[in-house]
Amino acid sequence: MSTKLDIYTKRRRGRIINGMFTAACFLATISCVLVLLVLIWNIILQGKSWLSWDFIESLPSRFPEKAGIKTALWGSIWLICLTALFSVPLGVGAAVYLEEYAPRSRWRKLIQLNIANLAGVPSIVYGILGLGLFVRALAFERSVLSGALTLTLVVLPIIILASQEALRAVPDSIRRSAYALGATRWQTVWYQVLPASLPGIMTGVILSLSRALGEAAPLLVVGAMAYVPFVPEKLSDEFTALPIQIFNWTSRPQEEFHHLAAAGILVLLVVLVSMNAVAVFVRHKYGKKIRW
């Protein structure tokens, strides 16, 4: 009798603790969402009156009514396109090698540990590395190429880890079936494994590039200019980016520039939300085509 009572008491205590933990997690989630909504609403109130097509098409200026984000917006587009060009083939290729080709050895474990550690390194550390390697050692100067290569260092470990998780999610039965039909390892990876893991890989890539789009610290260290009166036209041109321009406006004492910064944040949020929406669409569209 006492044993049954003890079991009942433990179960009841477990249900109470489980309910309290669920409530605490729910309150934490609601608190974060409310704080985020308050911040976004405050930004909308400050920046909506300054947001216009002229604001997007105008060059930076020391006069708030004439200032715009054209050079910063195009600089961000240059950065994100070059970062994708450099990081996606390297990241996905490294993930394919580690998951499909590399033998299970201590060397592989060491590489995997270093990649996981690099994913948690603060971005400003990559900025210092980019300054020493790309700007000075390789003499790329403070160009859009240096900025894109630095952002590539930031997102590359994340793309590798996300791609590895997507490749691990593909059942081994697909690989064994391809081998049973006489396919080589390369044919199995290219025609079976990669298409099956494409939704997860694309989602990780787009979310990583979204992070790169919002980075300011590594670009500041590399030397992104706060005022650039022209749109970059080649890899060696100087550049600025949306986070840099927003940071510059918020550091000024005039209230009008703070409203301009809020308008710039709204533009950046629209771009980021659009990229995240593309990630969701890709996962939904290509995920329906894959059944195992």
Side-chain angles (χ1 to χ4, degrees), residues 28-151:
T29 303
I30 292 298
S31 300
C32 293
V33 172
L34 289 177
V35 171
L36 179 62
L37 290 177
V38 169
L39 291 175
I40 293 177
W41 181 249
N42 186 42
I43 291 171
I44 292 174
L45 291 179
Q46 291 187 22
K48 66 178 181 179
S49 59
W50 294 81
L51 194 60
S52 64
W53 188 252
D54 290 335
F55 172 72
I56 297 176
E57 282 292 316
S58 299
L59 298 175
S61 173
R62 59 192 180 94
F63 302 105
E65 62 276 4
K66 297 181 180 180
I69 59 169
K70 182 178 181 180
T71 57
L73 181 59
W74 278 102
S76 292
I77 293 174
W78 268 84
L79 284 174
I80 207 65
C81 291
L82 289 174
T83 301
L85 180 64
F86 298 144
S87 62
V88 174
L90 288 174
V92 176
V96 170
Y97 174 76
L98 290 173
E99 288 298 317
E100 303 295 332
Y101 289 93
R104 301 299 189 264
S105 61
R106 293 183 179 179
W107 177 247
R108 180 184 179 277
K109 291 181 180 179
L110 180 62
I111 294 177
Q112 193 70 53
L113 178 62
N114 286 324
I115 292 174
N117 290 334
L118 288 173
V121 172
S123 58
I124 193 170
V125 176
Y126 290 107
I128 297 173
L129 177 60
L131 176 63
L133 178 61
F134 304 126
V135 177
R136 295 177 179 173
L138 298 179
F140 292 154
E141 302 301 332
R142 302 179 185 276
S143 62
V144 66
L145 178 59
S146 297
L149 290 173
T150 301
L151 291 181

Side-chain angles (χ1 to χ4, degrees), residues 266-288:
L266 290 176
V267 174
L268 184 58
L269 283 175
V270 169
V271 177
L272 290 174
V273 171
S274 300
M275 293 182 66
N276 292 337
V278 170
V280 174
F281 173 76
V282 168
R283 174 176 285 276
H284 178 72
K285 180 179 179 179
Y286 289 97
K288 293 192 300 182

Side-chain angles (χ1 to χ4, degrees), residues 102-250:
R104 301 299 189 264
S105 61
R106 293 183 179 179
W107 177 247
R108 180 184 179 277
K109 291 181 180 179
L110 180 62
I111 294 177
Q112 193 70 53
L113 178 62
N114 286 324
I115 292 174
N117 290 334
L118 288 173
V121 172
S123 58
I124 193 170
V125 176
Y126 290 107
I128 297 173
L129 177 60
L131 176 63
L133 178 61
F134 304 126
V135 177
R136 295 177 179 173
L138 298 179
F140 292 154
E141 302 301 332
R142 302 179 185 276
S143 62
V144 66
L145 178 59
S146 297
L149 290 173
T150 301
L151 291 181
T152 298
L153 295 179
V154 175
V155 303
L156 191 57
I158 304 173
I159 292 178
I160 294 175
L161 293 177
S163 300
Q164 284 187 276
E165 290 298 328
L167 291 170
R168 290 188 193 124
V170 178
D172 286 335
S173 58
I174 292 181
R175 298 176 179 86
R176 290 195 294 266
S177 299
Y179 293 146
L181 294 174
T184 63
R185 176 173 292 186
W186 179 85
Q187 291 173 329
T188 301
V189 171
W190 184 257
Y191 293 106
Q192 301 297 327
V193 178
L194 278 179
S197 60
L198 183 62
I201 292 176
M202 290 299 298
T203 301
V205 166
I206 294 175
L207 294 179
S208 300
L209 295 178
S210 298
R211 175 190 171 179
L213 187 63
E215 287 288 353
L219 298 180
L220 284 172
V221 176
V222 169
M225 303 289 289
Y227 175 73
V228 177
F230 56 86
V231 174
E233 295 181 354
K234 54 183 183 297
L235 297 180
S236 59
D237 284 346
E238 294 181 345
F239 72 101
T240 187
L242 282 174
I244 303 298
Q245 188 64 67
I246 293 169
F247 174 78
N248 176 260
W249 281 335
T250 55

